[in-house]
């Protein structure tokens, strides 16, 4: 009998499920516009439950797979938080992929799936005490740890990495030569970008829209970066309006300028925060191919802060989060049969 694996990845607003065969080939993917934001808003995870159930059932139905043919269902991301389906405690860094597999817990949710689902924990920084006076070194993540596992599978161990995962909450993850996640740092750059773009006096200057890939302007991005480094984020943001009003800078150029400002804010945090420790020997892996990711690559190369900067895109349609969850699920299976 053939055996199959299913992986689930839930974020703030979306859920994806991927079907895998025993050779590690992704056969299909289903998604639902539901995430932990719905749970927070509704005060109930019922909407999330139904979205996850629908994705799983659609995959099994489409590929004519029976429940008994499913070897494992593995879930990662915010689905393992207190606003997800089962809260699993974070692992404390440093953490390897084997550590994640060992800490992953099976939970039976009969109204979603007839067999237990494997919930993969997130990772927290190794900070003993957090207080009003000592908090900056602490950080947490749920979901990015499996993305890191997939990237390390692709690029290999043997050198230290800084993995950058842009998003609503951009993550910077430090990984040592042995492939252990040493810690992470989170910024609100994506949410700040959205808020500034749509809800501030700068909105008109940037056309109330984000930059598409083909609208990327390296020089304007660098100008925004340098303006923020010179006089700070708040002043540089207002300078976007000045450029629009008095220098005739168009909306797309202004939007690129704004992206550069927020990238400078992110990199300032990376170089000064206690949450992670970085040095010039690190290879930087920048996920995504959007304007923000391209800007990060160009600015890091321009500043020559790190040994090497590599842009990373998931080959094909299958996201790194699904690949990483599949890796952890297979490791858990091996652990159970040892």
């Amino acid at each position: 009998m053939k055996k199959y694996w299913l992986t689930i990845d839930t974020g703030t607003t979306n859920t994806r499920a991927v079907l895998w065969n025993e050779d590690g080939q992704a056969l299909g993917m289903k998604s639902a516009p539901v995430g932990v934001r719905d749970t927070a808003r509704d005060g109930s995870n019922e909407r999330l439950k139904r979205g996850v159930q629908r994705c799983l059932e659609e995959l099994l139905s489409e590929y004519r797979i029976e429940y008994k043919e499913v070897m494992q269902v593995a879930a990662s991301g915010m689905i393992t938080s207190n606003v997800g389906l089962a809260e699993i405690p974070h692992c404390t860094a440093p953490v390897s992929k084997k550590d994640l597999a060992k800490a992953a817990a099976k939970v039976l949710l009969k109204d979603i799936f007839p067999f237990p689902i494997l919930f993969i924990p997130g990772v927290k920084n190794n900070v003993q005490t957090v207080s009003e006076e000592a908090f900056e070194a602490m950080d947490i993540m749920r979901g990015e740890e499996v993305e890191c596992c997939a990237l390390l599978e692709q690029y290999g161990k043997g050198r230290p990495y800084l993995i950058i995962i842009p998003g609503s909450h951009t993550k910077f993850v430090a990984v040592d030569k042995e492939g252990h996640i040493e810690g992470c740092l989170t910024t609100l750059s994506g949410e700040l970008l959205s808020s500034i773009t749509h809800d501030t006096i700068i909105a008109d200057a940037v056309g109330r829209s984000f930059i598409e890939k083909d609208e990327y302007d390296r020089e304007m991005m660098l100008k925004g970066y340098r303006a923020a480094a010179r006089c700070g984020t708040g002043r540089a943001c207002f300078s976007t309006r000045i450029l629009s009003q008095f220098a005739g800078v168009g909306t797309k150029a202004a939007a690129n300028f704004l992206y550069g400002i927020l990238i400078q804010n992110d990199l300032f945090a990376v170089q000064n925060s206690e949450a992670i420790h970085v040095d010039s020997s690190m290879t930087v892996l920048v996920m995504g191919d959007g304007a923000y990711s391209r800007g990060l690559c160009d600015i890091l190369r321009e500043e020559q802060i790190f040994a090497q900067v590599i842009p990373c895109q998931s080959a094909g349609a299958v996201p790194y989060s699904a690949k990483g969850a599949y890796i952890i699920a297979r490791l858990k299976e091996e652990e159970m049969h040892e």
Side-chain angles (χ1 to χ4, degrees):
M1 181 188 297
K2 290 183 178 180
K3 290 293 183 180
Y4 300 90
W5 275 258
L6 287 159
T7 58
I8 308 161
D9 168 36
T10 293
T12 305
T13 57
N14 288 288
T15 291
R16 293 173 297 198
V18 177
L19 175 68
W20 304 81
N21 65 17
E22 52 195 336
D23 296 322
Q25 179 186 3
L27 303 178
M29 180 168 65
K30 298 293 180 182
S31 62
V34 60
V36 296
R37 181 179 292 174
D38 296 285
T39 301
R41 184 185 59 238
D42 298 346
S44 164
N45 62 10
E46 196 61 32
R47 195 191 303 256
L48 179 57
K49 282 183 177 181
R50 299 289 72 80
V52 170
Q53 182 185 38
R54 185 166 62 253
C55 287
L56 296 177
E57 289 184 349
E58 286 178 359
L59 280 171
L60 296 181
S61 174
E62 183 174 331
Y63 290 88
R64 299 182 180 181
I65 296 168
E66 298 180 25
Y67 289 129
K68 64 183 179 181
E69 296 178 280
V70 177
M71 195 74 177
Q72 187 102 262
V73 181
S76 65
M78 291 301 290
I79 197 170
T80 70
S81 72
N82 64 320
V83 286
L85 296 186
E87 185 175 9
I88 308 299
H90 292 90
C91 287
T92 301
V95 173
S96 69
K97 61 184 180 183
K98 287 187 177 180
D99 294 329
L100 290 171
K102 187 175 182 179
K106 287 192 173 186
V107 180
L108 178 61
L109 301 169
K110 287 186 177 179
D111 53 346
I112 296 177
F113 203 77
F115 306 125
I117 295 173
L118 182 71
F119 287 86
I120 301 169
V123 175
K124 66 178 180 179
N125 289 1
N126 193 347
V127 178
Q128 298 303 312
T129 303
V130 179
S131 67
E132 292 181 14
E133 288 71 37
F135 59 86
E136 216 291 306
M138 177 52 83
D139 209 292
I140 53 176
M141 61 180 168
R142 287 191 187 272
E144 291 84 6
E145 68 289 328
V146 291
E147 294 181 273
C148 291
C149 290
L151 278 167
L152 291 171
E153 193 88 356
Q154 179 177 335
Y155 289 94
K157 297 184 289 186
R159 51 179 168 169
Y161 291 102
L162 175 65
I163 298 175
I164 306 179
I165 309 173
S168 298
H169 304 155
T170 296
K171 295 286 182 181
F172 298 82
V173 185
V175 179
D176 68 15
K177 291 181 180 180
E178 285 71 46
H180 296 90
I181 294 173
E182 293 189 306
C184 63
L185 178 153
T186 309
T187 75
L188 284 177
S189 53
E191 288 202 64
L192 285 172
L193 177 62
S194 179
S195 181
I196 294 168
T197 299
H198 298 110
D199 303 318
T200 71
I201 198 170
I202 310 303
D204 182 62
V206 299
R208 292 181 172 82
S209 62
F210 302 123
I211 306 166
E212 299 296 332
K213 285 186 284 188
D214 60 355
E215 296 168 336
Y216 176 69
D217 184 333
R218 180 179 183 273
E219 290 308 310
M220 286 305 296
M221 186 86 67
L222 286 169
K223 285 178 181 178
Y225 173 85
R226 291 170 184 142
R230 186 171 59 251
C231 58
T233 301
R235 171 60 184 167
C237 283
F238 191 78
S239 295
T240 308
R241 179 167 170 79
I242 299 296
L243 288 170
S244 174
Q245 294 276 303
F246 297 100
V249 171
T251 56
K252 297 306 177 185
N256 275 276
F257 185 86
L258 177 60
Y259 275 43
I261 294 168
L262 293 174
I263 289 172
Q264 192 280 331
N265 201 42
D266 274 355
L267 296 185
F268 181 85
V270 170
Q271 292 177 288
N272 292 278
S273 172
E274 299 172 11
I276 57 172
H277 301 286
V278 300
D279 62 62
S280 60
S281 69
M282 287 177 148
T283 294
V284 182
L285 303 179
V286 182
M287 290 184 61
D289 63 347
Y292 203 85
S293 296
R294 291 181 63 185
L296 275 164
C297 288
D298 282 343
I299 288 170
L300 286 167
R301 288 168 179 153
E302 181 83 8
E303 293 294 294
Q304 298 182 345
I305 302 169
F306 298 101
Q308 188 178 14
V309 180
I310 303 173
C312 306
Q313 298 180 55
S314 186
V318 182
Y320 280 114
S321 55
K323 294 176 183 177
Y326 175 77
I327 290 168
I328 301 301
R330 294 302 297 255
L331 282 173
K332 187 69 173 183
E333 201 64 34
E334 290 172 13
E335 175 196 305
M336 292 168 61
H337 288 89
E338 285 181 353

